[in-house]
Amino acid sequence: MKITNKVVYKNLDELYDRCPGVKITDKSKWVIFSDLHMGDGSSTDDFKTNATLFIKALKDYYQPKKYSLFLNGDVEELQRFSMDKILRHWGDVFKIFDSFAERDALIKTIGNHDLELSAMETLPYDYEVSEAYKMHVGDDSLFLYHGHQASKKYQRHNQLVGFTLKYFANPLGIRNYSVSHSSLKQYKLERKLYNYSAHRNLVSVIGHTHRPLFESMHKIERLKHKIEQLCREYAEGKNLLTIPKSIKAYKKELLKHHRENEGHNYKSYVYNTVFHIPCLFNSGTVIGKRGMTCLEIEGNNIRLVHWFDKNISKKYLKNTGYDPEPLGDTDFYRMVINEEALDYIFARIKFLS
C-alpha cells in the first residue's frame, strides 16, 4: 500500500478514537518527558549523560510536588539493547517510575525505539502502556503520542532500522542516529502533524524529533516573540529597569543562533499556513547536550521547561532574561522557557484554524 498523508491522517484519527483518556482539572499536575533512550550504561547509551539530572528532577522535584508522570515514547532503547540489560543497569530509574505508578500517577506511550513493547505478551512492569493518550480540557483535547506515526519510513522499515542499530552501530560504538539529527526530516514531520492538528482543532503533544516546540514555535520564533512581548511591556511602563537587560540578552542569543546557522532557510521554521496556529507541542528530549526539556501541565497552564547542570552550561545563570531556580543544594536548575493558559491556546486554535 502506498503511504500518503491521507493514510497517515486516517491512521492518526483511528489512533485518537481508540486511545484512552483522562480529564485535566484545576488540580491536575503532569510532567511530560520523551526520548530517554535508556540503554545498558555503556558508551553508546545516550541516556547516561543526563541520567543523574533526570533522576534528581523526578525524586526531588516532581514526586514531592505530587506531579503525575507522562513518558511519551522511546523510553527504552530496544532497537540497540535488550530489555534485560536495560532493566538491570537502570533499576533505580524503574524504581522511581514504580513510585509514581503506586499512586496511579504514571502513563507511558510507545515510540519507534521501544516498539517491541507492543509485541510482548507480558510487560516487565505494571505501568499503563498505550500507543497514545488524550487529555480532555473541557470540550477540547490534547492528543499525546510519540510522533513516529507520521513518518512513512518508520511505518515501512522500523525493524530494519533496529537491526542496523543493534548489530552494526553498537559494535562500532556509533551513537544513535535518527530523525532528530536532520532539520529537513524534523520539519517535514512537524509540518505534517501541524496540518493534521490544525485541521482537527486539537493540540498534538509529541516527542521523536528531540526538538522542543511550544505553540508550534521553534527556538528562533520564541526568541522573536519574547522580544516583541517585552518591548510592548516596556512601552506600557512595566519593569523599566529589568526589561532592557532582558531584551539585550535575548537579542544576543538570537544573533548567535543566526551566526551558527548561517545559510539556513529560516522560512522552514513555519508551516506554510496563513495564520500561526498553536496546535503543536514537543517536550524535546532527556538526552540533550545542554540538559533536558519537558512540558508541564498545571491546572489550566502549560509550560516548556529546561533542566540543566551548571557545570555543563552556565550561560542561563547570567543575565539572560530567564529565571533559573536551583534544585535544593545541587548543581541542577529548572528554568521555565514559555508558559501559556490552555484556554487561550484552544481559543486561538478555534478561531484561526
Side-chain angles (χ1 to χ4, degrees):
M1 179 181 70
K2 183 179 179 181
I3 300 176
T4 63
N5 285 352
K6 186 176 181 180
V7 172
V8 171
Y9 295 166
K10 181 176 181 292
N11 291 340
L12 287 172
D13 279 340
E14 293 174 352
L15 179 60
Y16 179 84
D17 289 339
R18 69 174 181 266
C19 73
V22 65
K23 287 186 178 181
I24 296 294
T25 69
D26 291 340
K27 296 181 180 179
S28 296
K29 296 171 76 172
W30 286 91
V31 59
I32 303 165
F33 285 102
S34 69
D35 296 275
L36 281 65
H37 294 277
M38 296 168 65
D40 63 354
S42 66
S43 60
T44 55
D45 184 348
D46 295 321
F47 177 65
K48 187 167 64 171
T49 301
N50 291 330
T52 303
L53 174 61
F54 179 72
I55 290 169
K56 293 292 286 184
L58 290 187
K59 286 183 67 175
D60 296 353
Y61 188 85
Y62 292 113
Q63 185 66 288
K65 291 181 178 293
K66 301 300 181 184
Y67 273 79
S68 296
L69 175 62
F70 196 107
L71 299 170
N72 199 13
D74 283 3
V75 177
E76 298 95 349
E77 181 48 82
L78 293 177
Q79 288 192 337
R80 300 175 73 107
F81 310 100
S82 70
M83 178 61 83
D84 287 342
K85 287 183 177 180
I86 297 170
L87 289 168
R88 187 158 52 246
H89 189 82
W90 296 113
D92 289 346
V93 178
F94 285 96
K95 286 181 180 178
I96 298 172
F97 293 165
D98 287 339
S99 70
F100 281 88
E102 285 169 1
R103 56 183 181 87
D104 197 24
L106 176 65
I107 292 176
K108 191 172 186 290
T109 65
I110 296 173
N112 53 296
H113 282 254
D114 51 14
L115 192 62
E116 188 178 319
L117 292 171
S118 60
M120 292 182 180
E121 291 186 6
T122 304
L123 293 173
Y125 34 67
D126 295 328
Y127 320 144
E128 182 174 348
V129 178
S130 177
E131 189 180 355
Y133 217 84
K134 48 184 175 265
M135 293 182 174
H136 300 296
V137 186
D139 294 330
D140 300 303
S141 296
L142 302 167
F143 185 20
L144 296 93
Y145 53 105
H146 185 62
H148 66 285
Q149 293 90 339
S151 170
K152 300 173 185 177
K153 182 187 79 169
Y154 281 107
Q155 292 201 29
R156 288 194 183 104
H157 306 306
N158 192 67
Q159 288 186 331
L160 177 60
V161 171
F163 180 87
T164 303
L165 287 173
K166 186 173 290 186
Y167 296 107
F168 290 92
N170 274 3
L172 294 173
I174 300 171
R175 296 178 72 84
N176 204 348
Y177 182 82
S178 69
V179 67
S180 64
H181 292 79
S182 169
S183 294
L184 181 60
K185 290 179 181 178
Q186 289 172 329
Y187 168 67
K188 286 183 176 179
L189 183 136
E190 290 165 357
R191 181 178 62 182
K192 200 180 302 179
L193 293 179
Y194 173 87
N195 289 334
Y196 169 79
S197 306
H199 184 66
R200 295 295 187 266
N201 286 334
L202 54 78
V203 168
S204 283
V205 179
I206 64 169
H208 189 51
T209 67
H210 296 196
R211 178 158 65 175
L213 293 172
F214 192 85
E215 297 185 309
S216 310
M217 290 191 293
H218 299 277
K219 180 178 181 179
I220 192 167
E221 292 176 282
R222 292 199 307 267
L223 288 170
K224 290 179 179 179
H225 178 74
K226 195 72 175 179
I227 291 170
E228 292 174 359
Q229 182 183 18
L230 288 173
C231 287
R232 181 177 296 277
E233 290 179 7
Y234 184 83
E236 294 172 352
K238 301 176 182 177
N239 301 318
L240 297 180
L241 294 178
T242 60
I243 282 180
K245 294 179 180 179
S246 296
I247 291 176
K248 183 178 179 180
Y250 286 130
K251 283 173 60 181
K252 183 178 179 181
E253 192 172 354
L254 186 60
L255 291 170
K256 180 182 177 182
H257 188 86
H258 273 271
R259 285 196 303 270
E260 292 176 348
N261 296 274
E262 188 175 356
H264 183 80
N265 177 18
Y266 287 99
K267 290 183 179 179
S268 67
Y269 281 116
V270 295
Y271 304 114
N272 299 323
T273 57
V274 176
F275 299 107
H276 178 87
I277 304 170
C279 60
L280 186 61
F281 289 70
N282 191 320
S283 54
T285 180
V286 171
I287 60 173
K289 292 181 180 179
R290 297 180 179 84
M292 63 184 188
T293 54
C294 62
L295 291 167
E296 295 175 2
I297 296 174
E298 186 170 0
N300 186 49
N301 293 324
I302 184 169
R303 62 180 74 101
L304 176 63
V305 172
H306 175 59
W307 286 89
F308 66 95
D309 182 340
K310 74 175 185 180
N311 297 308
I312 296 175
S313 179
K314 291 185 178 181
K315 73 172 187 175
Y316 295 113
L317 296 179
K318 300 175 183 178
N319 184 26
T320 61
Y322 298 105
D323 188 21
E325 58 174 309
L327 180 61
D329 58 356
T330 71
D331 292 330
F332 303 140
Y333 285 77
R334 171 184 172 273
M335 183 174 71
V336 176
I337 300 175
N338 282 88
E339 183 171 4
E340 191 55 86
L342 287 169
D343 288 347
Y344 179 56
I345 289 169
F346 282 116
R348 287 155 61 198
I349 292 173
K350 176 181 178 180
F351 291 112
L352 299 179
S353 295

